[in-house]
Amino acid sequence: MESETFASYSHHLQTVAIATIFFAICLLFPKLTYQTSLAKLPLFGNWESGEKQRQLYLNHAKKIYSAGYEKFKDSAYRVATNDGEDNVVIAPRFLPELRKLPDSVLSFPKAIDKVMEVKYTKILTDAPMIVHSVKADLTPALARLNSVVYDEVVESLSEEIPACDDWTPVNMYMALANMVAKISGRVFVGPELCRDKDYLESAIQYTMDVIEVQRSVKLIRPWLRPILAPRLPAVKRLRKREQMAEDLLTPIIASRLEAERNDPTYKKPDDMLSWFMNRSADYGGHSNALLAKFQLGLIFAAIHTTTLTGTNILYTLASQPEYAEPLREEIRAVMAENGGVITTRALQQMVKLDSYMKEVVRFYPLGVTSFTRKVLRGFTLSNGQYIPPGVTIETPSHAVYSDPVNYSETAHVFDGFRFSKIREGGKAADHARNQFVTTNEQNLMFGYGRHACPGRFFAANEIKMLVAKMLLDFDIKNEGDSQERYPNIEMGRQTSVDARKNLLLKRVQV
Ligand code: HEM
Ligand SMILES: *[C@@H]1O[C@H](CO)[C@@H](O)[C@H](O)[C@H]1NC(C)=O
Ligand SMILES: *[C@@H]1O[C@H](CO)[C@@H](O)[C@H](O)[C@H]1NC(C)=O
């Protein structure tokens, strides 16, 4: 009996041991082949080690990627980043072959998982329904919605910007965030909620709460996170915020469904909430909680990106007063031709403004790299280099924007009308390739390929209307009369405007 127990015990031990070893080999083996194939790619920028290297990357990422771009135009290489892992940088000439790879090879959501601590921020990273609805419902609706959007621009501007009879300091980032939340809210949830105090607070604060959770989770050692992270005040606040979004939407969803049941003449509202509800059946049903989650996903993708881009443009305008008049002339002339408002046609006719916005993004890009993807299955580039599974790849977009090959010998100067000059008198292809919304190998602000930003048409319209209205109504300058543009803040591959700055505004007398 004893020996039998011992035998089975030892047998059991053996199985455990073998299983463990087998498991370890399975884990290790891909790791080994991964490391050897990764090691075959040239390493660039590893001048220091440990903390020193991390600091170097955090402070000089732009320079590191530019130098790498010059050195490796025709190949992929590794770069040591600040998170202790090497990323693989892919030269833009390979982008056309990468865009053909399916999601099972290159994953956009998986690339975000770790960076954004998705386990705790719970942001929606993979929502095909949202992408589909933005493409198939929102973008085609813009032609009929633009007049509503413009009304919201005018109204929110009158609410968020003071009288400014004399030079008045305005925190541009916060003013724009409030305006963008209202304008986007009109299109995302409709008129019932878009001016609701709690909705607006959520629309602005949600992304801030997410960033705060991401930051505080990263401060905890990885193995302690499952225990400690859920107890963080920031995490609890974020869970409350999610619940609040559901509570806000629930009565609106209910009253819309009821109206639909009872009123045969009921017309569904023209907004994303309505389109999401309408697509519910195709996607296996949407609970109120899920509909709220979709709205938060939209808010995360749309509000701060649009606000940052708008601030970036206005900071540039404030330091370049010579652009105000030529831009105003175009805006006034185009509006006069279109009944005094900014219609879809008017937006298309504002080529100088479109060019200026695009040049700001080229010259002061918010971000050093684009097209970040996690490699799920290894693949081989046309030059024979093997990219192993597990790595994160990226493209050096900032370096692309400064390349004289693409932007002539004037690449290093700011030329607000660079793109409108190419478009004026140009062929159809010149028009298509030189717009704010263009995405291709040289234009990467909205990403690239299958997962390029589907919201960029809406964002471009909204920003164009906001900047046009700001220009018409106000003279804009820096505090202290400085002509120097407020510098953007750089940290690793991230770049942001300095949201704490004020601009001075003075109403244009008519
Ligand atoms: C100026 C404002 C915006 C910027 C700079 C921006 C930028 C981006 C970028 C860089 C990506 C990743 C693309 C890639 O890696 O290939 C993206 C994805 C996305 N954006 Fe935007 N975005 C903006 C506004 C918006 C707006 C207003 C919406 C919604 C109406 C939106 C919805 C999305 C969605 C749903 C995705 C995910 C696409 C997918 O997974 O296939 N974005 N955006
Ligand atoms: C709702 O969906 C149906 C079928 O997909 C479509 O024909 C209809 O236009 C949609 N209605 C609205 C208001 O989006
Ligand atoms: C940018 O440069 C690449 C070569 O690096 C070239 O193929 C492409 O046509 C250029 N694009 C523009 C807009 O000049």
Side-chain angles (χ1 to χ4, degrees):
M1 192 65 193
E2 278 263 304
S3 69
E4 204 182 310
T5 316
F6 180 72
S8 75
Y9 178 63
S10 91
H11 178 78
H12 180 67
L13 246 187
Q14 223 175 341
T15 345
V16 170
I18 290 170
T20 312
I21 291 166
F22 185 73
F23 187 63
I25 290 173
C26 288
L27 278 178
L28 204 68
F29 219 72
K31 192 110 188 163
L32 283 179
T33 48
Y34 161 69
Q35 301 230 308
T36 34
S37 36
L38 194 59
K40 284 190 190 139
L41 297 169
L43 178 63
F44 182 71
N46 202 19
W47 298 287
E48 301 283 353
S49 59
E51 184 53 24
K52 270 191 176 166
Q53 173 63 32
R54 218 176 79 85
Q55 288 303 327
L56 199 70
Y57 183 88
L58 281 177
N59 296 320
H60 302 287
K62 211 153 95 177
K63 277 192 197 142
I64 294 175
Y65 283 100
S66 289
Y69 179 77
E70 290 308 320
K71 188 162 177 200
F72 297 102
K73 288 222 151 158
D74 298 314
S75 59
Y77 67 93
R78 282 180 294 151
V79 65
T81 69
N82 58 325
D83 50 19
E85 275 177 32
D86 294 349
N87 271 11
V88 171
V89 185
I90 309 262
R93 59 161 288 206
F94 296 107
L95 285 176
E97 55 191 85
L98 291 193
R99 80 181 298 157
K100 296 191 193 109
L101 297 175
D103 290 0
S104 53
V105 175
L106 294 182
S107 168
F108 173 57
K110 289 275 185 315
I112 305 169
D113 254 22
K114 216 173 111 189
V115 186
M116 284 313 299
E117 297 295 341
V118 168
K119 212 167 149 198
Y120 306 105
T121 55
K122 300 198 180 178
I123 53 166
L124 206 57
T125 56
D126 195 8
M129 200 281 310
I130 297 185
V131 177
H132 186 176
S133 183
V134 171
K135 283 182 185 162
D137 299 324
L138 175 62
T139 302
L142 288 176
R144 67 172 188 272
L145 284 183
N146 274 333
S147 67
V148 177
V149 176
Y150 185 63
D151 287 348
E152 285 296 333
V153 167
V154 173
E155 193 168 340
S156 64
L157 201 128
S158 75
E159 289 162 353
E160 301 300 332
I161 309 276
C164 300
D165 295 322
D166 202 351
W167 291 108
T168 307
V170 174
N171 179 274
M172 211 58 236
Y173 183 83
M174 263 341 280
L176 275 178
N178 284 314
M179 292 189 266
V180 168
K182 287 178 177 174
I183 302 160
S184 315
R186 179 64 181 74
V187 173
F188 293 174
V189 289
E192 300 107 315
L193 265 191
C194 80
R195 289 177 172 273
D196 180 277
K197 205 175 109 294
D198 292 333
Y199 170 77
L200 289 172
E201 205 226 27
S202 288
I204 295 168
Q205 281 304 320
Y206 173 67
T207 307
M208 310 254 198
D209 290 349
V210 166
I211 304 289
E212 167 120 33
V213 166
Q214 176 223 23
R215 278 202 196 126
S216 37
V217 167
K218 283 203 190 298
L219 294 177
I220 306 176
R221 286 168 203 281
W223 60 276
L224 281 172
R225 283 177 196 168
I227 310 156
L228 294 184
R231 298 180 198 170
L232 290 172
V235 172
K236 288 184 182 163
R237 212 161 35 232
L238 186 57
R239 296 291 92 84
K240 256 196 214 146
R241 179 84 58 204
E242 290 157 356
Q243 185 57 49
M244 190 165 147
E246 187 184 335
D247 296 345
L248 277 166
L249 282 177
T250 297
I252 296 190
I253 296 167
S255 76
R256 287 185 179 193
L257 288 175
E258 194 186 301
E260 203 182 327
R261 268 194 307 270
N262 299 340
D263 178 359
T265 63
Y266 176 70
K267 256 191 88 208
K268 288 185 186 175
D270 223 3
D271 53 45
M272 302 253 17
L273 175 61
S274 170
W275 304 325
F276 287 172
M277 286 164 71
N278 197 37
R279 287 185 181 280
S280 171
D282 306 347
Y283 285 84
H286 295 155
S287 63
N288 289 359
L290 193 55
L291 284 167
K293 216 163 179 210
F294 289 155
Q295 286 293 334
L296 291 176
L298 266 184
I299 282 170
F300 185 74
I303 304 296
H304 283 265
T305 46
T306 306
T307 305
L308 285 167
T309 305
T311 310
N312 206 24
I313 294 165
L314 290 175
Y315 280 5
T316 314
L317 266 174
S319 64
Q320 300 176 338
E322 68 275 18
Y323 277 100
E325 266 322 301
L327 287 172
R328 275 178 192 146
E329 264 169 41
E330 177 186 79
I331 298 161
R332 286 199 192 107
V334 166
M335 283 177 76
E337 241 181 81
N338 290 278
V341 287
I342 303 185
T343 56
T344 302
R345 181 160 166 273
L347 287 167
Q348 282 160 1
Q349 289 174 332
M350 291 180 191
V351 276
K352 281 191 175 146
L353 179 55
D354 193 273
S355 171
Y356 187 84
M357 287 160 50
K358 188 172 179 62
E359 179 71 347
V360 170
V361 168
R362 182 189 78 86
F363 206 76
Y364 303 105
L366 297 179
V368 177
T369 63
S370 302
F371 193 66
T372 309
R373 302 287 185 267
K374 184 95 171 178
V375 177
L376 300 185
R377 282 199 276 130
F379 63 92
T380 305
L381 294 175
S382 57
N383 70 350
Q385 281 180 302
Y386 176 70
I387 312 296
V391 294
T392 302
I393 60 166
E394 54 190 0
T395 286
S397 47
H398 180 273
V400 171
Y401 299 147
S402 345
D403 189 344
V405 170
N406 286 124
Y407 295 101
S408 82
E409 63 284 2
T410 65
H412 64 285
V413 292
F414 185 98
D415 177 1
F417 301 140
R418 173 187 300 277
F419 300 104
S420 51
K421 282 182 271 185
I422 300 174
R423 287 176 67 181
E424 277 157 20
K427 297 197 245 341
D430 293 323
H431 278 277
R433 295 183 59 86
N434 291 284
Q435 297 182 37
F436 187 71
V437 291
T438 303
T439 63
N440 59 27
E441 296 78 37
Q442 285 81 46
N443 296 278
L444 297 155
M445 89 170 273
F446 290 113
Y448 178 83
R450 206 188 324 273
H451 291 285
C453 178
R456 65 190 189 276
F457 302 95
F458 172 61
N461 288 0
E462 186 178 6
I463 295 168
K464 209 180 269 182
M465 287 181 188
L466 271 168
V467 174
K469 190 76 181 116
M470 287 291 297
L471 262 170
L472 285 184
D473 288 1
F474 302 101
D475 286 322
I476 305 170
K477 65 179 185 183
N478 290 334
E479 269 192 323
D481 282 339
S482 160
Q483 293 276 70
E484 201 183 316
R485 187 186 183 283
Y486 294 143
N488 285 348
I489 299 169
E490 287 168 26
M491 210 174 72
R493 64 173 82 76
Q494 286 164 342
T495 315
S496 171
V497 296
D498 187 345
R500 297 162 300 188
K501 296 284 187 196
N502 290 331
L503 289 178
L504 294 178
L505 303 186
K506 188 176 168 196
R507 195 167 291 272
V508 172
Q509 303 303 327
V510 277

